[in-house]
Amino acid sequence: MGTWRKLFGPSKQDIWRQLATEVEARYVPGGFWNGDKVQATHGEWTMTLDTYAVSTGKTTIVFTRMRAPYVNPDGFRFTVYRKGIFTDLAKGFGMQDVEVGDEAFDRDFVIKGTDEGKLRDLFANPRIRELLATKPELQLTVKDDEGWFGPSFPEGVDELYYAVPGVTKEVEQLKRLYALFGETLDQLCRMGSAYKEPPNVTI
């Protein structure tokens, strides 16, 4: 075992290769322009795990993210994140905080979206709440595309999107993230807010 590995533990590449094996996913080595990624399928959907960096001018922050494009027939979108220092400020600017009737979940998370009834239907799923509760910090949202620096999506296709600061190297946390995406997409299907058909998007 090398000195670097002794000091810092297994590398991201080692951990993500292990993850790919355990969840029967595909590990894709990075190239000159792109970093490595892990892609798993769930039904007709592809869930892609990778990292990206954001420069603040003085420093660079690396994020771990997961993305899964899907056909969104009714345009339902939502965002869920843990309550924190900016929660009350965000509410002051008109942010909708819907409660779902689970005392602990309502205490710890902010949920907003385009349809209050569908928000309640989505988060009535106990498995989704359970998996979200394992994340110390997160933002899970639905996006219509990836902006100037990512692929544009066909009409009616959105993306389930997760991001958290830092490089996540805990296999069990990443496995729960894949489970969260799969359960969320399945629940959206049951609600009529996702279709089990290929979105025809490559990321």
Side-chain angles (χ1 to χ4, degrees):
M1 182 182 294
T3 302
W4 184 271
R5 188 180 177 93
K6 286 181 180 179
L7 288 173
F8 299 102
S11 68
K12 183 190 80 171
Q13 288 78 9
D14 290 339
I15 294 297
W16 284 22
R17 286 181 187 274
Q18 177 186 343
L19 170 71
T21 298
E22 294 191 15
V23 300
E24 299 182 347
R26 183 168 65 104
Y27 177 83
V28 182
F32 182 78
W33 294 106
N34 300 307
D36 53 337
K37 58 187 177 183
V38 179
Q39 292 187 309
T41 58
H42 182 81
E44 298 293 338
W45 305 298
T46 298
M47 303 178 290
T48 300
L49 172 73
D50 65 2
T51 58
Y52 71 100
V54 174
S55 175
T56 64
K58 296 182 178 180
T59 186
T60 298
I61 303 173
V62 177
F63 290 81
T64 298
R65 68 180 171 183
M66 184 174 285
R67 298 168 289 164
Y70 68 97
V71 177
N72 184 352
D74 60 5
F76 171 59
R77 295 190 183 129
F78 69 89
T79 296
V80 56
Y81 58 90
R82 280 193 176 274
K83 292 183 179 178
I85 188 170
F86 299 111
T87 302
D88 290 337
L89 177 63
K91 286 183 183 179
F93 285 95
M95 180 177 292
Q96 182 186 25
D97 183 7
V98 175
E99 295 187 349
V100 298
D102 180 311
E103 182 177 353
F105 190 81
D106 290 335
R107 179 191 65 228
D108 295 338
F109 290 91
V110 171
I111 307 167
K112 60 177 181 175
T114 56
D115 185 308
E116 183 173 339
K118 284 185 175 290
L119 283 174
R120 295 183 188 279
D121 288 343
L122 178 61
F123 294 102
N125 185 312
R127 180 63 173 156
I128 292 176
R129 299 198 308 272
E130 174 190 344
L131 289 165
L132 284 169
T134 68
K135 303 295 179 187
E137 55 180 328
L138 65 90
Q139 184 181 53
L140 181 68
T141 190
V142 173
K143 301 175 65 173
D144 59 352
D145 60 37
E146 297 192 6
W148 291 102
F149 301 103
S152 58
F153 298 161
E155 184 71 23
V157 172
D158 284 339
E159 178 179 69
L160 188 62
Y161 185 97
Y162 163 97
V164 65
V167 179
T168 304
K169 297 196 296 182
E170 292 80 16
V171 170
E172 292 305 315
Q173 278 282 352
L174 293 169
K175 287 166 69 173
R176 285 192 288 269
L177 179 57
Y178 275 107
L180 172 62
F181 263 56
E183 188 64 38
T184 300
L185 289 166
D186 285 342
Q187 182 70 5
L188 288 171
C189 267
R190 288 189 284 267
M191 295 163 44
S193 293
Y195 283 164
K196 289 188 176 181
E197 61 183 64
N200 297 319
V201 172
T202 300
I203 58 174

